[in-house]
Amino acid sequence: MNFQANGAIVLFMKKTDFFITFEGPEGAGKSTQAQRLQRYFAERGIACVLTREPGGTPLAEELRKLLKGFEGGEKITPVTELLLINAARNQHMHNVILPALAAGKVVLCDRFSDSTVAYQGYGRDFDLEVVRKVNALGSAGRSPDLTFLIDLDYASSCSRTSQREETRGEFDRFEAEKKGFHDRVRQGYLAIARSEQLRMKVIDGNRCADEVFADILEEIHEHCQL
Ligand SMILES: Nc1ncnc2c1ncn2[C@@H]1O[C@H](COP(=O)(O)OP(=O)(O)OP(=O)(O)O)[C@@H](O)[C@H]1O
Ligand SMILES: [Mg+2]
């Protein structure tokens, strides 16, 4: 509580509704680090929701399954892919992310609209302005307050995803893309980071998980006075 010179009492509400996203190539450590940050907040009594894209609601999770593993003998066109991702995103925004932020919670989201710019825009060579406009519709105009781009080279990414316990040897539609696609995605992410330095922090993912997390916490303390 603070007192103004004229005696009026002004309540300064502390901002707690931070929207934080994790981005980066496959196997970069997004889920690992998002879970660590969730535990860190929980241990300190900070209300926090961890969610993911595409997904986060029953309908959006169904769309995720189609996007990652559709095997109906029909190619998903780039426009359909962009629209399905943003259909899932809009369900997620209205039913999970925006209500949690309105309740003053921190929202941690494992991938968000930068993934769409990197994968569908740069990776699939889709018009970036169109991707950004459709993303704005999907995300109801809400951008993340802070984004961690966990950067990792292609060889390390492949080695981590092929060793991953839960999906050893199985690749989804995106993981199965060739090196050229993943190189464009990585360069796309780095281009976004260059143009939005205040929001997007590039974290070197090619180090042990503790070192990566230490950098993330440093940024959290600098940007979010929680
Ligand atoms: N810093 C690290 N060093 C070595 N291995 C790691 C590191 N961080 C995560 N891993 C391991 O690499 C694999 C991929 O990590 P994780 O699932 O967190 O990545 P991701 O970015 O979420 O991947 P995806 O894009 O496929 O969801 C896991 O087996 C995880 O245990
Ligand atoms: Mg993950």
Side-chain angles (χ1 to χ4, degrees):
M1 201 182 295
N2 290 270
F3 293 89
Q4 282 185 330
N6 64 7
I9 298 171
V10 179
L11 286 175
F12 286 103
M13 297 291 289
K14 204 170 147 190
K15 178 178 165 64
T16 52
D17 55 336
F18 288 100
F19 181 23
I20 300 168
T21 57
F22 290 80
E23 295 283 359
E26 265 85 348
K30 300 176 294 297
S31 304
T32 303
Q33 297 297 330
Q35 284 159 16
R36 279 187 169 217
L37 190 56
Q38 181 193 33
R39 271 201 305 278
Y40 177 89
F41 285 144
E43 283 161 10
R44 283 153 188 80
I46 295 166
C48 168
V49 170
L50 171 60
T51 187
R52 69 171 183 182
E53 280 217 347
T57 79
L59 175 55
E61 288 289 334
E62 287 301 314
L63 293 173
R64 178 190 180 96
K65 282 185 211 153
L66 291 175
L67 282 159
K68 288 200 165 254
F70 180 67
E71 286 173 358
E74 178 187 357
K75 195 175 177 305
I76 299 182
T77 69
V79 173
T80 300
E81 186 174 274
L82 178 66
L83 294 176
L84 283 179
I85 288 168
N86 273 290
R89 177 167 300 138
N90 202 249
Q91 291 299 117
H92 194 202
M93 284 312 287
H94 285 292
N95 296 332
V96 175
I97 295 179
L98 292 176
L101 293 171
K105 295 178 183 168
V106 176
V107 174
L108 305 180
C109 192
D110 189 341
R111 291 196 182 280
F112 193 64
S113 49
D114 295 306
S115 283
T116 320
V117 175
Y119 282 73
Q120 281 64 48
Y122 286 89
R124 301 240 187 270
D125 205 16
F126 206 106
D127 185 301
L128 291 179
E129 275 318 299
V130 174
V131 173
R132 289 201 174 98
K133 280 189 181 146
V134 180
N135 276 353
L137 192 66
S139 62
R142 180 65 157 92
S143 306
D145 299 305
L146 183 63
T147 298
F148 295 109
L149 168 55
I150 307 181
D151 184 42
L152 192 67
D153 61 276
Y154 179 70
S156 308
S157 162
C158 289
S159 123
R160 285 196 196 167
T161 50
S162 61
Q163 285 168 21
R164 193 167 24 201
E165 282 299 321
E166 57 275 26
T167 53
R168 197 188 293 269
E170 288 173 28
F171 294 100
D172 68 31
R173 282 181 55 248
F174 297 102
E175 287 171 343
E177 286 286 348
K178 296 197 172 64
K179 180 175 183 298
F181 174 84
H182 291 286
D183 285 344
R184 290 196 298 281
V185 168
R186 186 178 181 207
Q187 292 314 317
Y189 268 134
L190 292 170
I192 304 170
R194 279 194 298 276
S195 67
E196 290 191 66
Q197 291 177 16
L198 280 181
R199 174 179 69 86
M200 188 182 259
K201 306 296 167 191
V202 183
I203 307 281
D204 176 5
N206 212 349
R207 297 169 299 158
C208 76
D210 285 347
E211 285 177 284
V212 174
F213 190 58
D215 279 8
I216 287 174
L217 273 191
E218 200 175 306
E219 295 290 351
I220 289 288
H221 291 135
E222 192 175 327
H223 295 273
C224 315
Q225 281 72 46
L226 283 161

